[in-house]
C-alpha cells in the first residue's frame, strides 16, 4: 500500500539507489509514474507492504517500508530490485553500482568512482568537511541524520588525510 513518505515512521527500512547521472525533471516524473503503482502493489507473500519512495536531488531513488506493518521478504526485495533494473534499462542509467561515491561540492552533487574519490581525498579536493552521501543507511531515521553528512562522520572518513 502506497503512503506519503512523510507518514512512514522513522523505524521504516530504506534502500538508497544512486544514479550515475542526474535525472531530468521529465524523467523524474516518469519514474514517479512507475514507482507509485509498483508500491501500491508491492507485497510480501500476498500481504501488502506499507511503503513509499522519494527521489532526492534528481539522482537518488529511496524506497522505504514500514516493517511494523509487515517485514519485507527475499521475494519482495527481489521485486524492488527488479523495478530498479527496469528503470536502469529504460533511462540508460546505473542505479546499482555500489563502487560509486557521491558528494557535494557547494550545491552540486557529484558522483565518482571510489578510486577517484580516494585520489580527491589524497589531494585535499575532498576533506573531512565535504558533504558525502552515506547510501549504506538502513532506516528513515538514518536518512534524516546520517545520509548527507560531513565525510568525517561517515565510512568515507577512512580515506581522508
Amino acid at each position: 500500500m502506497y503512503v506519503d513518505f512523510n507518514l512512514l515512521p522513522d523505524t521504516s527500512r530504506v534502500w538508497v539507489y544512486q544514479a550515475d547521472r542526474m535525472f531530468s525533471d521529465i524523467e523524474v516524473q516518469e519514474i514517479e509514474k512507475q514507482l507509485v503503482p509498483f508500491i501500491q502493489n508491492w507485497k510480501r507473500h500476498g500481504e501488502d507492504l506499507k511503503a513509499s519512495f522519494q527521489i532526492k536531488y534528481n539522482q537518488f531513488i529511496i524506497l522505504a517500508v514500514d516493517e511494523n506493518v509487515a517485514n519485507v521478504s527475499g521475494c519482495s526485495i527481489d521485486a524492488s530490485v527488479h523495478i530498479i533494473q527496469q528503470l536502469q534499462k529504460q533511462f540508460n542509467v546505473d542505479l546499482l553500482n555500489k563502487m560509486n561515491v557521491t558528494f557535494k561540492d557547494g550545491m552540486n552533487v557529484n558522483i565518482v568512482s571510489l578510486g577517484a574519490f580516494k585520489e580527491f581525498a589524497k589531494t585535499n579536493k575532498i576533506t573531512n568537511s565535504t558533504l558525502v552521501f552515506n547510501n549504506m543507511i538502513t532506516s528513515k531515521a538514518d536518512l534524516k541524520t546520517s545520509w548527507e553528512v560531513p565525510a568525517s562522520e561517515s565510512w568515507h572518513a577512512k580515506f581522508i588525510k
Side-chain angles (χ1 to χ4, degrees):
M1 116 189 50
Y2 175 82
V3 297
D4 183 280
F5 193 90
N6 296 318
L7 298 178
L8 290 173
D10 285 347
T11 56
S12 296
R13 187 168 171 187
V14 299
W15 295 266
V16 178
Y17 298 96
Q18 69 181 1
D20 61 353
R21 65 166 176 83
M22 284 185 68
F23 294 113
S24 70
D25 290 341
I26 292 170
E27 287 175 321
V28 168
Q29 291 172 1
E30 183 57 35
I31 291 166
E32 289 171 342
K33 284 182 190 174
Q34 293 181 45
L35 286 178
V36 168
F38 167 76
I39 291 187
Q40 286 172 333
N41 295 299
W42 199 9
K43 299 189 182 309
R44 176 195 175 268
H45 302 295
E47 184 178 9
D48 282 341
L49 293 173
K50 184 177 178 185
S52 194
F53 72 93
Q54 281 188 331
I55 299 175
K56 296 276 210 172
Y57 298 107
N58 283 27
Q59 194 152 355
F60 300 90
I61 298 173
I62 303 164
L63 301 180
V65 174
D66 180 356
E67 290 194 305
N68 294 317
V69 174
N71 289 333
V72 293
S73 66
C75 293
S76 53
I77 292 171
D78 288 350
S80 68
V81 171
H82 183 68
I83 188 79
I84 294 297
Q85 290 171 327
Q86 287 177 331
L87 295 171
Q88 281 189 135
K89 185 182 257 186
Q90 180 177 353
F91 296 101
N92 194 30
V93 65
D94 189 348
L95 290 161
L96 296 169
N97 186 344
K98 301 295 185 194
M99 296 305 289
N100 286 335
V101 179
T102 314
F103 65 95
K104 269 189 169 176
D105 177 15
M107 293 305 296
N108 298 317
V109 175
N110 300 285
I111 187 163
V112 296
S113 69
L114 181 58
F117 184 85
K118 290 177 183 179
E119 285 301 314
F120 288 164
K122 283 182 189 174
T123 60
N124 288 323
K125 290 180 182 176
I126 292 177
T127 66
N128 280 323
S129 62
T130 301
L131 291 179
V132 295
F133 294 89
N134 179 7
N135 297 324
M136 306 302 283
I137 59 163
T138 59
S139 72
K140 187 177 169 194
D142 290 343
L143 182 66
K144 294 177 180 178
T145 61
S146 304
W147 179 53
E148 188 175 340
V149 294
S152 62
E153 297 175 23
S154 177
W155 64 267
H156 303 83
K158 63 184 173 188
F159 303 118
I160 310 294
K161 286 183 180 181

